[in-house]
Amino acid sequence: MATGPLCRRLAEIRADKEAARPAAATAIMAAGTEALRASGILDRLPRVGDRAPLFARPSVAGPTVRLKTLLKRGPVVLSFFRGRW
């Protein structure tokens, strides 16, 4: 497992969030996470350095983002987030 300042900070944030939410909610989330791990889904995830398929998706600002267009400007770093619920 990776270590370093970012990993430590993320662990702190995770611990703070878990302490602030009801234990039952944390247990449900943990069970869901474990079910996903047990499903083998992690074996199908892209890894750092993998080439992404060319895609076109709407951005949070609205316009469509196309990987092919971005690559014309140079290397691209993709970051995925689930949004705010």
Side-chain angles (χ1 to χ4, degrees):
M1 178 180 251
T3 60
L6 177 58
C7 289
R8 286 191 296 274
R9 181 65 185 126
L10 290 173
E12 290 170 4
I13 292 169
R14 186 177 306 110
D16 290 347
K17 296 292 184 185
E18 286 181 6
R21 88 171 70 90
T26 297
I28 290 169
M29 292 171 68
T33 298
E34 186 51 40
L36 284 170
R37 283 190 179 115
S39 76
I41 195 170
L42 295 177
D43 297 331
R44 299 188 307 269
L45 294 176
R47 305 283 184 239
V48 172
D50 285 355
R51 289 189 178 265
L54 295 179
F55 65 84
R57 296 288 186 266
S59 73
V60 293
T64 299
V65 174
R66 298 178 190 286
L67 181 57
K68 187 174 183 176
T69 302
L70 295 173
L71 287 170
K72 289 177 183 176
R73 295 189 289 184
V76 175
V77 175
L78 296 177
S79 176
F80 298 92
F81 65 98
R82 66 178 191 188
R84 189 160 264 210
W85 298 355

